[in-house]
C-alpha cells in the first residue's frame, strides 16, 4: 500500500508527464478535460486515498459458488432415547442451548413407562415360561439319568430346550423391571437444540438434544459444472467480513436439483459461524489466467454503471479506466482488460470518492 504524501514527483504509466491543473483551480480538486482528476496532496490525505502498485501475473481461474455452513458428521450428534418414558432432570438440571458439555455428561434421565395391561401380560408370560421351564428341566434330568437307554441326541435336545426357556424367562423378567435410561452426551461440544421439559413424555427415537462441535464445521456448495470437482486447487469463503480458508473434502456422485454438492472443511472456524448460515465460496481451479490482482474494493462504477478502476498517473493526477474483471477469491479480483501495460498504481481505498469530483 502507498500513502499519499507531499513532495511526490512520480511518473506512472510509462513516464507520462502530469497534466497541469486548470487555470484558477488552485489547490482545489478539479476534473480535467480528458476525464482525469487533479487532486492536491492535502485533499488526498483528507479523503484517505490509498494506492497499491500492481502488475499482470499468472493467476488461478476462480469460480464463485453459493454455499451454506453445515455440521461435520463426525463432530455432531443427536441424543435420542431407546424406549418411551418420562423425562427427569439430572443433577444441575437440563443443559440449555449454547451450553458446553463434555463427552459422557448426563443430559437427562428417562423413567421407563409401562401400562398396567403391559405389565399384566408380561407377568402371565413369565408364569407360563416358569411352568414350561420346570417341565423341561425335569425331562432333561430324567433323560440324563437313563442316558444309556436313550440316544444322546434326545438328551441334548432336552437340555437345549431347557436352556432356551431359561434365557427367555430371564429376558422377560429383565424387561419387566426396566431401569431408568441415562442419556449421555456422545461427544464434547455445544448444545445446539434442546427439546426437553421436566416430566415430558418422550417416545423412543425422539430427538431430544443436538450437539455440535463448533471447531469442526464444514461448508457445502452447489455447482452446475460436474467437472469442477476435478479441477479444484483451493477455496475460501467470506464469513461476516472475515476471509476463511477451506479445504476440499469431496463431491457427491448424485445431483441435487440438477446441481452437484461439494463439501469443504473449514480449516479454522471463526466464532461468527453458525450452522445454516449462507456463504459465498470462491473456488480456485487448476486453470490459469493472466490478470492484475487487486482488492475487490478497488472496483467502482461510473455514471453509466460500468466498472472502473482509478489509476494514479502522477503525484496529483488520477485517471479512470474501464476494465473487465472477474472474482479471484472472496475479497480479491483479477483485472483482465483495461489497465495500462506494465506496473500501475491503482487506488484501493477511496475510489468511490474520486468519482464524485466535478
Amino acid at each position: 500500500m502507498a500513502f499519499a504524501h507531499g513532495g511526490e514527483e512520480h511518473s506512472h504509466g510509462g513516464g507520462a508527464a502530469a497534466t497541469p491543473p486548470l487555470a484558477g483551480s488552485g489547490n482545489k480538486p478539479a476534473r480535467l478535460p480528458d476525464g482525469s482528476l487533479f487532486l492536491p496532496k492535502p485533499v488526498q490525505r483528507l479523503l484517505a486515498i490509498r494506492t497499491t502498485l500492481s502488475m499482470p501475473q499468472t493467476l488461478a481461474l476462480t469460480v464463485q459458488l453459493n454455499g451454506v455452513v453445515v455440521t461435520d458428521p463426525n463432530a455432531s450428534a443427536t441424543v435420542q432415547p431407546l424406549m418411551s418414558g418420562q423425562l427427569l432432570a439430572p443433577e444441575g438440571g437440563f443443559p440449555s442451548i449454547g451450553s458446553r458439555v463434555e463427552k459422557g455428561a448426563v443430559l437427562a434421565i428417562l423413567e421407563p413407562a409401562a401400562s398396567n395391561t403391559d405389565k399384566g401380560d408380561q407377568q402371565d408370560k413369565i408364569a407360563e415360561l416358569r411352568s414350561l421351564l420346570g417341565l423341561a428341566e425335569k425331562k432333561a434330568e430324567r433323560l440324563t439319568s437313563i442316558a444309556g437307554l436313550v440316544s444322546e441326541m434326545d438328551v441334548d435336545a432336552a437340555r437345549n430346550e431347557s436352556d432356551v426357556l431359561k434365557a427367555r424367562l430371564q429376558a422377560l423378567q429383565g424387561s419387566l423391571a426396566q431401569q431408568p435410561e441415562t442419556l449421555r452426551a456422545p461427544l464434547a461440544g455445544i448444545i445446539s437444540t434442546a427439546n426437553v421439559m421436566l416430566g415430558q413424555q418422550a417416545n423412543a427415537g425422539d430427538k431430544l438434544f443436538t450437539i455440535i462441535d463448533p471447531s469442526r464445521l464444514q461448508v457445502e456448495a452447489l455447482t452446475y459444472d460436474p467437472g469442477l470437482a476435478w479441477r479444484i486447487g483451493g477455496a475460501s469463503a467470506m464469513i461476516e467480513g472475515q476471509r476463511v480458508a477451506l479445504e476440499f473434502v469431496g463431491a457427491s456422485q448424485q445431483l441435487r436439483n440438477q446441481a452437484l454438492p461439494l463439501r469443504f472443511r473449514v480449516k479454522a472456524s471463526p466464532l461468527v459461524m453458525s450452522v445454516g448460515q449462507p456463504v459465498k465460496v470462491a473456488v480456485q481451479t487448476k486453470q490459469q489466467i493472466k490478470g492484475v490482482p487487486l482488492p475487490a474494493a478497488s472496483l467502482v462504477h461510473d455514471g453509466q454503471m460500468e466498472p472502473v478502476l482509478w489509476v494514479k498517473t502522477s503525484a496529483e493526477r488520477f485517471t479512470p479506466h474501464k476494465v473487465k474483471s472477474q472474482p479471484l477469491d472472496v475479497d480479491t479480483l483479477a483485472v483482465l482488460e483495461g489497465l495500462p501495460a506494465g506496473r500501475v498504481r491503482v487506488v484501493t481505498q477511496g475510489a468511490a470518492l474520486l468519482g464524485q469530483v466535478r
Side-chain angles (χ1 to χ4, degrees), residues 153-172:
M153 184 179 298
D154 292 339
V155 176
D156 290 341
R159 290 174 177 171
N160 288 337
E161 181 182 4
S162 175
D163 292 340
V164 170
L165 290 173
K166 185 180 298 183
R168 289 177 59 189
L169 179 61
Q170 290 176 349
L172 198 57

Side-chain angles (χ1 to χ4, degrees), residues 67 69 217-221 232-239 243-249 263-270 273 279-284 330:
V69 179
L217 295 176
Q218 296 187 351
V219 171
E220 184 174 279
I232 294 177
S236 61
M238 185 65 75
I239 310 291
R243 186 175 180 274
V244 178
L246 304 178
E247 179 184 355
F248 181 56
V249 175
R263 188 63 70 96
F264 300 88
R265 181 181 297 110
V266 180
K267 290 186 177 180
S269 300
M273 288 187 70
V279 296
K280 286 289 185 181
V281 179
V283 177
Q284 292 87 40
V330 291

Side-chain angles (χ1 to χ4, degrees), residues 90 131 159 201 205 231 317:
S131 176
R159 290 174 177 171
Q201 291 294 326
R231 308 194 308 271
R317 184 184 176 190

